[in-house]
């Protein structure tokens, strides 16, 4: 085949003695070519030969020039999560996890964090299981959303058969994690419905977890599901918050509540303040209690103590629990809708939260109001 730039010369023809240059306009031997010449001084050591047909080709040298493809983002994320968890299992430092996980900048994979954390804890001892059970509520809702937590547990359920091969106790351990998550208000009770599971093993695990959340003193038992003394910090925080709010309803003093909550030194749990306050408001038959709670939450938001994100997280939990709440407070559903409207007007809930209230108002009793 003739070259368009040099008619009559056939590159690569064994009789022509001419080798095609890398580019049609590039002179042979760097401009020092010609019959009987060696080329430019030093050209024999210039660069590496990458043509496998060249007699000077060195396969080892070529391998050193290979640039591997970057790993998919999910692979890097999982690797970083393993490192974060390794350090957490040693230090137990919740604040460090709360700092390190968002710094990865891959919130779309946060459900994988839940899956990996629970799976790894199941393979270890009660200490690590309690650490993870306490960690997940600490990361909600600022780092982990309710959707992340639900999707993470769903992923563990889906691989439960494989987990049982390495650990026969895996179904029982996962049931404990699920029940504890429901008691800690980071999973809605409806998650334990067996209708959402395909595998028989997953259904049995969900049924066992559901049974663990029922009955007298279920919450107290689950606070210590990983052994005596475990879970006491979470339990004590919830009890302290309840006492603070009960005292407020009896003697309204928003500044005293602000001081008392700050003294808990648990900013990750401030969503529990919003949750418990909203629940108390809609369970009360007194409109004055709802007014007081509304004023309190507005003040706590204005002072910066309870962020809007924590407000939303707390109210979403109440929305998920509404069917249970209205068993003791029949007017809870309608009062929740009204209370959300007051919260939006007061500025501590965004107007978009009206969509959650609307779904609560239209859901039949016994069904979950899905939070978006």
């Amino acid at each position: 085949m003739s070259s368009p730039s040099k008619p009559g010369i056939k590159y690569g023809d064994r009789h022509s003695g001419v080798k095609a240059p890398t580019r049609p306009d590039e002179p042979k031997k760097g401009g020092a070519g010609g019959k009987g010449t060696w080329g430019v001084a030093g050209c024999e050591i210039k660069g590496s030969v990458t043509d496998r047909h060249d007699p000077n080709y060195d396969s080892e040298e070529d391998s050193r020039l290979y640039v591997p493809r970057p790993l998919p983002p999910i692979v890097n994320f999982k690797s970083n999560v393993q490192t974060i968890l390794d350090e957490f299992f040693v230090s137990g430092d919740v604040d460090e996890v709360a700092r390190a996980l968002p710094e990865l900048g891959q919130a779309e994979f946060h459900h994988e964090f839940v899956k990996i954390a629970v799976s790894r804890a199941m393979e270890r001892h009660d200490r690590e299981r309690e650490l993870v059970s306490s960690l997940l509520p600490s990361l909600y809702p600022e780092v982990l959303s309710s959707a992340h937590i639900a999707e993470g547990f769903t992923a563990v359920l889906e691989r439960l058969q494989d987990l049982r091969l390495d650990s026969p106790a895996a179904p029982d351990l996962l049931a404990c994690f699920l029940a504890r998550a429901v008691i800690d208000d980071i999973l809605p009770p409806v998650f334990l419905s067996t209708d959402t599971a395909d595998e028989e093993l997953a259904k049995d695990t969900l049924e066992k977890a559901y049974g663990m959340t029922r009955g007298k003193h279920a919450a107290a038992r689950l606070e210590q599901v990983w052994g005596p003394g475990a879970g006491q910090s979470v339990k004590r925080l919830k009890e302290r918050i309840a006492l603070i709010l009960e005292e407020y309803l009896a003697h309204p003093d928003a500044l005293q509540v602000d001081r008392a909550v700050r003294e808990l030194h648990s900013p990750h749990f401030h969503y529990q303040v919003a949750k418990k306050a909203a629940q108390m408001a809609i369970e009360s038959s007194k409109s004055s209690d709802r007014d007081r709670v509304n004023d309190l939450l507005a003040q706590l938001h204005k002072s910066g103590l309870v962020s809007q994100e924590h407000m939303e997280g707390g109210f979403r939990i109440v929305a998920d629990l509404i069917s249970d709440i209205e068993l003791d407070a029949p007017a809870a559903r309608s009062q929740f809708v009204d209370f959300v409207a007051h919260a939006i007007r007061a500025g501590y809930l965004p107007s978009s939260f009206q969509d959650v209230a609307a779904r609560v108002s239209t859901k039949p009793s016994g069904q979950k109001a899905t939070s978006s």
Side-chain angles (χ1 to χ4, degrees), residues 44-64:
E44 70 279 5
I45 58 172
K46 179 183 178 183
S48 301
V49 177
T50 57
D51 184 357
R52 293 177 181 272
H53 301 291
D54 192 297
N56 294 319
Y57 171 73
D58 183 342
S59 60
E60 292 186 3
E61 186 174 345
D62 191 24
S63 66
R64 290 194 295 270

Side-chain angles (χ1 to χ4, degrees), residues 176-334:
C176 292
F177 271 108
L178 288 165
R180 174 69 175 272
V182 169
I183 291 299
D184 285 341
D185 297 323
I186 58 173
L187 270 183
V190 75
F191 185 88
L192 302 182
S193 169
T194 57
D195 296 338
T196 60
D198 296 326
E199 298 285 341
E200 197 63 33
L201 181 60
K203 290 183 178 181
D204 291 344
T205 301
L206 289 170
E207 188 172 344
K208 179 171 184 177
Y210 177 79
M212 295 173 72
T213 64
R214 314 310 291 178
K216 194 174 182 180
H217 306 306
R221 289 195 303 272
L222 286 168
E223 293 292 354
Q224 300 185 41
V225 70
W226 305 122
Q232 290 302 302
S233 59
V234 175
K235 180 182 179 182
R236 282 197 297 269
L237 281 169
K238 293 171 77 171
E239 290 174 347
R240 285 289 299 136
I241 288 170
L243 287 173
I244 291 169
L245 293 173
E246 287 169 4
E247 176 68 19
Y248 170 77
L249 287 181
H251 306 285
D253 185 343
L255 291 178
Q256 176 59 33
V257 173
D258 190 292
R259 284 193 297 270
V261 172
R262 290 182 191 277
E263 287 172 0
L264 297 177
H265 302 294
S266 301
H268 298 309
F269 283 95
H270 286 179
Y271 70 92
Q272 280 288 343
V273 176
K275 178 256 181 181
K276 187 62 179 176
Q279 184 174 346
M280 291 172 66
I282 67 173
E283 287 178 341
S284 177
S285 59
K286 301 177 180 178
S287 61
S288 59
D289 284 346
R290 288 188 289 280
D291 291 340
R292 287 175 177 177
V293 170
N294 184 55
D295 291 342
L296 173 65
L297 293 180
Q299 178 61 34
L300 296 182
H301 176 254
K302 183 179 179 180
S303 71
L305 180 64
V306 182
S307 68
Q308 190 172 85
E309 193 170 23
H310 277 165
M311 290 290 186
E312 288 188 70
F315 273 73
R316 287 178 190 278
I317 293 171
V318 177
D320 286 337
L321 295 173
I322 199 69
S323 295
D324 290 335
I325 294 172
E326 66 182 349
L327 294 177
D328 297 319
R333 191 177 292 271
S334 60

